[in-house]
Amino acid sequence: MLKSKQEFKEAFINKLQTLFGQSLDESSIADKYVALSTMIKEEISKLWYQSNRQYRVSKEKQVYYFSMEFLLGRLLGSNLYNLGLTEFCSEGLKELGIDLNELEAVEHDAGLGNGGLGRLAACFLDSIASLQLPGHGCGIRYRHGMFEQKIVDGYQIELPDNWLRDGYVWEVRKADRAVTVKFGGHVRLEDQGGRYVVFHENYEPVVAIPYDVPIVGANCNTVNTLRLWSAETNHFDFPSFSKGDFLKAVEKKYSLEATSQILYPDDNYPEGKTLRLKQQYFFVSAGLQSIIRRYKRTHGATPDDLAKIHKKIAIHINDTHPALAVPELMRILMDEEGLSWEDAWNTTRQTISYTNHTILPEALEKWPIEMVERLLPRMYMIIREINERFCAVLWEKYPGDWDKIRAMAIIADGYVHMAHLAVVGSHSINGVAEVHSNILKKEVMSNFYQVYPYRFNNKTNGVTHRRWLAKANSALAGIITEAIGSSWLAHPYELASLHRYAHDAELQDRIKAVKQANKNRLAQFIQEKMGIVVDPHSIFDVQVKRIHAYKRQTLNALHILDLYNRLKASPGLDIEPRTFIFAGKSATGYYLAKHIIKFINTLAQVINNDPDVGGKIKVVFLENYSVSLAELIIPAADVSEQISTASREASGTGNMKFMMNGAITIGTLDGANIEICDEVGNDNIVIFGLTAEEVLNYYKYGGYNVLDVYHNNPHLRLVVDQLTNGFLPVSPDEFNCIHHSLIRANDEFFVLKDFAAYAEAQEKINSLYRDSAHWQAMAINNIAFSGRFSSDRTVSEYAIGIWRIKPVVIREV
Ligand code: 26V
């Protein structure tokens, strides 16, 4: 198909005919998207087949990345990019009068994730394949992904995401690989001549059907697999049907299939819902069953063979959500394969590794014992045994120290503590940025660190520079390549050689022009979407991420209100025009976050319509933040807001995407910001606020009284008062909850404490921006030193340090 442009065009027209019975002129843009994607998938399939075959033959070790979330976004563009076909297809289509970008925009985002954790998983898959590593994803094929956010009268409204409505071109349903997952029922042990045999009876079976999505490596022949499980059942209640009770006849079917219907839209706040626990076991069990099945075919099926699976398989769990992998692997090895507890335990522990993504205490998962026991009786038995053996070890080490043992137990206080299960059941535990990993060791998991020091390590996050730079900002990528050659694309550290050109006036001008074009494009989008005219020459100051108290959108918003007050008081105030851009979703039940959205929108309404401001500042809240929207916004940013309360943001990954696109970070010393600062140096970033150590000391020892700050800063006092004094055109109690969180609850996230430092940092941004040459040099340095934050670096550290896997070069046959 893809030998020459002429052949490509003919194949494309032919595909339209065979798929839809339509000519080029008759077909809709959606049909054209499907035709092109189908052609690309056919190309991919040849490599996919070869990859699978050669993995099987080579018998090399493979990694499986288990994650409740994979926030893939769109795949047509990235697949074309990784196959090296973008230009070829774009030109071919152009000759047919078709714009490739328009086709790409037809694709629904695969929004199977909440935010950072899910997007990280997607970046990792891209890097694993691009490094030619044998590694696959395992997750859930949610019928409804992350909800679609609408803003109505300033409030977030949630609509169901219907991403599968028009079919999903990239998936392949593998009905013949289905497995059964068992819920509920009773477990009976029978002693058969000294060996216990396990009988699981009266359980409810749910059939798990895999849907495979190919993951294409860049500029190589590797195509790995993301296997997403869907709950389906043939259950049909015939007696009810024949009685004419049709609803009842299908009721059970729908209740069983509910398992993979929705993605829970909470991040950093677990809701103890049975359905979520069911989802966790569902995909963990299905994934492990299919992995073991394949292992047995390739590496042998005796208990001795199975005791060695860690030599051929690594299982990585993305946060604690798949932590049931520990007891489930135990179950398979013991109950189904006949291994002893000791052998199964050794193998399990050496197979599994775990990443922690948050230290927020409220985000650590725990499940009521009763729920686990009822839904997953066999899992509960095994967890209890793991717990007992672990507590016995602790008892040896800390005789009589019940408090410590209780604090570390997997089962305690009526709950199963998933992080404890994950730590005890794996050989490696990592945090996602230096500071975060250190806090895990020193604070949150210090007990465990004392027992298992060698298991703890750090793997600073990264993002795929292919999607977030080369593809999202192809004009910038082109300029970089002209300046330093193209090898940075495969070796992103080589971006560092751009540093030499930081003060090169010509390069500065070209990079500035690209930024301007990206800003123009975003300004136009804002105008079309929202009817707001923004000045494309103003500073684009951007905070896009989930709405959460610890991320402190409130700090940004209060500063905007302060700026507004100052502009009103002195209309001639000499500031650079600025457009403050926000986007992000709130969890559905998160009352405070929802009011923060309303607050930002209220500010927008007041400020954007006040002639006194003279258009100097504008506020925009873009609805429905998603991967594809991020690809539009991030390349257009001048300023990247990374202002979480120090110690609370495990890493952040948006910060890295902005940096790669030449935005200047205004940020706290939190998460990966610290490492960004280390890379670019203090002169190329604007840092403010409390350090993690200071924050942790306040949490531990107290000593912060918000009223001291409130009473000592009149500007700050005014904006806090304006939340509730009728100044804003909303009911005076509308923002009570924000006011309450700041004043009555003593400002848990130090918004007021950091306010003055933030305002000062913003002034610094203002003056830095005015020296255009200096600003451009900073921007170039940020791009130059972003190489460390490519997920290629992160993934190769996992591959070498944790998974112990090496590349398998796939030959094209
Ligand atoms: C936790 C929970 C708890 C149960 C309910 C649903 C749910 C959904 C997601 C999560 C994970 C929250 C943790 C998370 O997303 N952490 C983010 O991980 C990023 C990648 O490592 C990191 O950059 C962010 O700083 C961190 O907040």
Side-chain angles (χ1 to χ4, degrees), residues 69 117 266 268-270 276 321 357 432 461 550 649-652:
E69 307 191 357
L117 170 138
D266 313 278
N268 280 308
Y269 196 84
R276 186 168 160 95
H321 319 151
H357 292 269
V432 289
N461 282 166
Y550 85 82
E649 188 72 274
S651 159

Side-chain angles (χ1 to χ4, degrees), residues 470-505:
K471 209 186 129 283
N473 202 345
S474 55
L476 177 59
I479 293 173
I480 295 170
T481 297
E482 277 179 42
I484 63 169
S486 62
S487 64
W488 66 274
L489 285 160
H491 308 285
Y493 269 111
E494 292 183 16
L495 283 168
S497 46
L498 263 188
H499 172 58
R500 280 184 279 137
Y501 301 97
H503 296 281
D504 179 308

Side-chain angles (χ1 to χ4, degrees), residues 113-129:
N114 271 282
L117 170 138
R119 183 55 231 175
L120 185 78
C123 284
F124 278 12
L125 292 183
D126 183 81
S127 286
I128 290 171

